[in-house]
Amino acid sequence: MSGAEAPGRMDGHGPLWVVPHEVPAIVPLSSRSTEPRWVGVYRWAAVGGDLLAAMLGVSIALLTRFGYHVGPSYLVVSSLLPPAWVGVVALSKGYDPRYFGAGPDEFRSLMRSGVGLTAAVAMTSYVTKTEIARGFVVLAIPVMVISALLLRYALRKDLHRHRVRGRCMHRVLVVGRSGPAATLCEHLEKRPTDGYRVVATCRPRGDGHGHLQPDELDEPDILAAADRHAVDVVAVSTDPELVGQSLRRLSWALEQRGIELIVSPGIIEVAGPRISVRPVAGLSLLHLERPSVSGGPHLMKAIFDRTVALGFIAVLSPLLIGLALAVKVSSPGPVLFRQQRIGRGGVEFTMLKFRSMYSDAEQRLGDLYALSDGNGVIFKMRDDPRMTPLGRWIRRFSLDELPQLFNVLRGDMSLVGPRPPLAEEVALYAADDSRRMLVKPGMTGLWQVSGRSDLSWDESVRLDLRYVDNWSMTLDLLILWKTVRAVAYGAGAY
C-alpha cells in the first residue's frame, strides 16, 4: 500500500499508526547487519577503482618523465603512492556510504584528496630531503584524480541502473504527521537514483481522522515499527512533538540497531552548501546562508566565463565560419538572428543566434500561436513551418546558440545561468520569479540539462530559482559536463 490513507495497523500498544508500503520484512534484532551487502560491494569496487587510477597515474608519469630507465627511489615512491591515495580518499570520506550514488560529495572527496596528496608528497619530500621531480608529481596526481573521477562516475551510473530496477535501496520508515510525512515520502520516492524506498509511514493514531485528537509520536512504537519492517533509515518529518530530548533518545536507540536517522527541516530547493548546523546556547541550530549573487565568487565566475568563451571562439572559429556560410547560402536573410532579451537586474541586451528560420518568421508568428507545443508562456512548435532545413539540424544540436559566446565575452550572459527571458515573459512573472534576474542568464543551465523545451513553465521557473539559490562554481562545472550529453542526445531541442 502506497498511500497515507490506506488502512493502518497498530504496532504494539502505543499511539503510533503504521501504514505499510509493502509486506513487512521481520528480521531478528540480533541477526541485523550493520550495513546492506551492496554497500560493501560498492565500497570495495570504489577502492579497486582508486587503486587502478593510482597505478595508471603513476605509470603514465614514470613513462613520460623517465621512459624505461627508472631509478630505485622512484620505484619505491611509485609503489607507495597507490595505497597512500586510497588512504587519503578514506580520510576525505570518499568511502562513506552516505555519499554513495547521491550528491556531489563523492566527487568532491576525490578532488580534495588530490590536493591533500600533493601537499603530503611535498611535505614528505621536504622533511626527508628526498628529491622528487616536480614533473612526476604534476603529471601523476592529476591523472590519478581524473581517472578516479571517471571510474567513480561509471560505478555510480551502474548503481543508478540497479536502483531504477528497485535494487540497492535503503529501506526507509517515515515518521510524522500526515501532511509533512506525505510530502517527505513524495520527495524521497521522486528520485529512485538517490536510493531511498519508503516501506512504511508512521503517524499519530488520531492524525487525520477528525474524531480523534492526535497523539504524541512515541519512541517505543517507532522502534517497534523499525524492527518489524527491517528498515535501514528512519526519516523524521518536521513535527513539534518529536524534538529535543525525545529525538535524542530515538537517535541513541536507532544507533544501537545500526539504523540511520535523518531529519527533514522542511526546507525545499536549498542545497547543502547553504545549510550549516551551528551550536548556540546548547542547541544545534540550522543556519541558512544567503545565496551568493555578487562579490568575489561572481568575479571569479565572470573571469572563468570570459576566458572559456574566448578559448571556445578561438578553437571553434572554423566551425563558426562554416555555419555562417551555410546559413547565408541555405536561405535569404541575415546570418545572425538578433533578439532583445532581459538580463541581470532587468537590463535589456541583444542576444545573438545563428538564424534558423526564414526571414519572415516574426510576421508569421501570430498565425501559429494556436498550434503552440510550448508551456503556455513560451511559444514552441516541434514542426515549426518557419524553420529552414538547415535550421532544424543546427537546433537539434544547439549549434544555433554558439554566437552567444560573444554575448558571454561582452558580459551580457554567462556560460551557465537561468534561461534568458523575453520582455513579455518577464511581464508575466510572479513576485518570486523575478529572483531569476539576480544573476546573468546563461547559454546553458539546469533547464538545458533537464528537458529544455519539454519542461512546463512551472518546472522551468523552479529549476532557474534552484540555480539562483544554490549557485557555486562546482554546480556550474557539473552543468557544463551534463550539457555535453544533453546536446548529443538532443532531447527537448526544437
Side-chain angles (χ1 to χ4, degrees), residues 77 81 114-134 136-138 141:
V77 171
L81 271 180
V115 176
L117 184 60
T118 304
V121 170
M123 289 177 63
T124 303
S125 173
Y126 176 78
V127 170
T128 61
K129 295 184 170 32
T130 304
E131 290 294 331
I132 300 178
R134 286 189 295 271
F136 172 79
V137 176
V138 167
I141 294 181

Side-chain angles (χ1 to χ4, degrees), residues 25-321:
I26 302 175
V27 178
L29 184 60
S30 59
S31 64
R32 185 193 293 265
S33 172
T34 55
E35 64 180 23
R37 180 176 174 273
W38 70 265
V39 172
V41 174
Y42 188 98
R43 182 184 291 113
W44 282 112
V47 171
D50 290 342
L51 283 173
L52 180 61
M55 289 187 286
L56 181 64
V58 166
S59 300
I60 290 176
L62 285 175
L63 288 173
T64 304
R65 184 69 176 78
F66 305 107
Y68 294 98
H69 306 286
V70 183
S73 61
Y74 280 98
L75 289 176
V76 173
V77 171
S78 300
S79 63
L80 292 176
L81 271 180
W85 167 248
V86 171
V88 173
V89 173
L91 290 174
S92 299
K93 298 184 179 180
Y95 307 121
D96 192 327
R98 290 178 297 174
Y99 307 134
F100 288 172
D105 294 288
E106 195 173 7
F107 299 122
R108 281 201 199 104
S109 66
L110 293 175
M111 291 187 282
R112 285 197 304 266
S113 300
V115 176
L117 184 60
T118 304
V121 170
M123 289 177 63
T124 303
S125 173
Y126 176 78
V127 170
T128 61
K129 295 184 170 32
T130 304
E131 290 294 331
I132 300 178
R134 286 189 295 271
F136 172 79
V137 176
V138 167
L139 185 58
I141 294 181
V143 171
M144 197 180 299
V145 172
I146 293 170
S147 302
L149 286 169
L150 292 174
L151 290 171
R152 191 67 69 92
Y153 178 77
L155 183 61
R156 186 187 182 102
K157 284 298 177 184
D158 184 61
L159 177 62
H160 287 177
R161 284 191 289 269
H162 282 286
R163 283 178 168 175
V164 169
R165 298 185 182 100
R167 299 193 291 266
C168 304
M169 305 291 280
H170 298 287
R171 295 169 60 86
V172 182
L173 171 70
V174 173
V175 178
R177 302 189 183 278
S178 294
T183 301
L184 182 56
C185 286
E186 179 186 350
H187 281 277
L188 289 176
E189 294 179 331
K190 186 183 294 183
R191 289 176 47 181
T193 53
D194 286 345
Y196 292 101
R197 180 171 62 214
V198 178
V199 297
T201 56
C202 296
R203 51 186 171 82
R205 184 170 43 136
D207 190 18
H209 290 270
H211 60 284
L212 292 174
Q213 289 297 319
D215 293 310
E216 292 185 3
L217 293 163
D218 200 14
E219 176 196 331
D221 296 293
I222 297 173
L223 297 176
D227 291 338
R228 182 176 185 83
H229 291 276
V231 300
D232 307 306
V233 178
V234 170
V236 179
S237 62
T238 49
D239 193 287
E241 301 294 346
L242 197 58
V243 293
Q245 192 64 23
S246 298
L247 193 61
R248 190 183 186 195
R249 285 197 303 267
L250 178 62
S251 70
W252 292 341
L254 293 175
E255 180 185 348
Q256 294 175 355
R257 288 165 164 77
I259 300 174
E260 184 181 356
L261 174 67
I262 58 178
V263 180
S264 168
I267 300 172
I268 62 172
E269 302 293 359
V270 178
R274 283 188 57 206
I275 298 175
S276 60
V277 177
R278 302 175 194 167
V280 177
L283 299 173
S284 296
L285 299 183
L286 191 70
H287 287 250
L288 194 63
E289 307 291 349
R290 288 177 295 180
S292 173
V293 295
S294 61
H298 275 265
L299 176 61
M300 182 174 66
K301 177 181 171 73
I303 294 172
F304 173 80
D305 284 340
R306 294 186 181 189
T307 302
V308 173
L310 185 61
F312 273 140
I313 291 171
V315 172
L316 298 177
S317 54
L319 176 62
L320 292 170
I321 294 171

